[in-house]
Amino acid sequence: MTTVPGRLVLVTGPSGVGKDSLLDGARAALAGRSDIVFPRRMVTRPPGLGGEDYIAVSEADFAAMAARGDFALHWPAHGLHYGIPAGIDADLAAGRQVVVNVSRAVIDAARLKYPGLLVLAINASPEVLRQRLLKRGRETPAEIEERLQRAAAYRLEGPDVALLNNDGPLAEGIAAFVRLLEKRD
């Protein structure tokens, strides 16, 4: 368990709800603020595939980094491995708010390690999700239906969870996202 003056913010939600767009928009809206940071994830995917701004690493390098303790949090998902750099601990110790995109599979471990965190659970209606997934063109129709079923079953609860529906215009979603980041209780 780590007690720090900063706050870890875990952004999570089903594929297609717009997490990357909200993160990019919040990063731009909060540019120049030293109290909120958006570290890049390490991902075992080739570079330059679009979507999020990630650091591509090989499977072997990722495994070595995990073994050395280079990640604050890491997890497998959809045939890839994702890691949040251990450097976030220094940001948290300095009182910064650290905002990262994570899988819901890592939330319980993060809650144990970082008490006082905030989980921003992003969602969207099935109709909006279907349209976004079709538009991005990464999945087959059958894979899209599987994602929609998983999204329908997606529920996060707890006193550390804030829900954000991202069905509307992107500017509205970004504004709501930034408001949640700026709210500190």
Side-chain angles (χ1 to χ4, degrees):
M1 184 186 312
T2 306
T3 303
V4 293
R7 177 172 74 167
L8 180 61
V9 178
L10 305 177
V11 179
T12 190
S15 185
V17 295
K19 296 180 301 284
D20 291 329
S21 297
L22 292 174
L23 283 161
D24 289 345
R27 187 180 297 110
L30 299 167
R33 288 193 49 180
S34 61
D35 61 325
I36 302 177
V37 296
F38 298 83
R40 292 167 59 198
R41 299 191 299 182
M42 307 278 188
V43 184
T44 58
R45 122 178 4 129
L49 292 183
E52 73 175 295
D53 181 19
Y54 60 94
I55 299 169
V57 296
S58 70
E59 291 277 345
D61 287 345
F62 190 96
M65 294 170 80
R68 284 193 308 264
D70 291 350
F71 298 121
L73 300 166
H74 63 91
W75 64 95
H78 308 294
L80 301 172
H81 288 87
Y82 297 81
I84 305 299
I88 70 165
D89 291 338
D91 285 319
L92 292 167
R96 294 182 188 94
Q97 190 165 205
V98 176
V99 185
V100 294
N101 180 358
V102 301
S103 166
R104 62 184 154 176
V106 77
I107 291 174
D108 287 338
R111 284 173 165 152
L112 291 173
K113 187 173 180 182
Y114 299 101
L117 62 74
L118 171 66
V119 178
L120 289 184
I122 313 300
N123 61 31
S125 68
E127 300 79 29
V128 168
L129 269 181
R130 179 177 282 108
Q131 290 307 310
R132 288 180 183 163
L133 292 170
L134 286 167
K135 184 177 178 180
R136 76 180 187 183
R138 286 190 224 162
E139 296 95 358
T140 67
E143 290 170 332
I144 288 172
E145 291 309 311
E146 287 176 27
R147 286 192 179 276
L148 291 171
Q149 288 176 6
R150 281 197 307 269
Y154 185 86
R155 297 285 179 264
L156 273 175
E157 296 179 346
D160 57 358
V161 176
L163 302 175
L164 191 155
N165 180 281
N166 192 31
D167 272 357
L170 182 57
E172 288 178 14
I174 291 169
F177 190 93
V178 168
R179 280 191 303 274
L180 287 167
L181 293 179
E182 291 178 329
K183 182 181 176 185
R184 300 284 303 252
D185 293 328

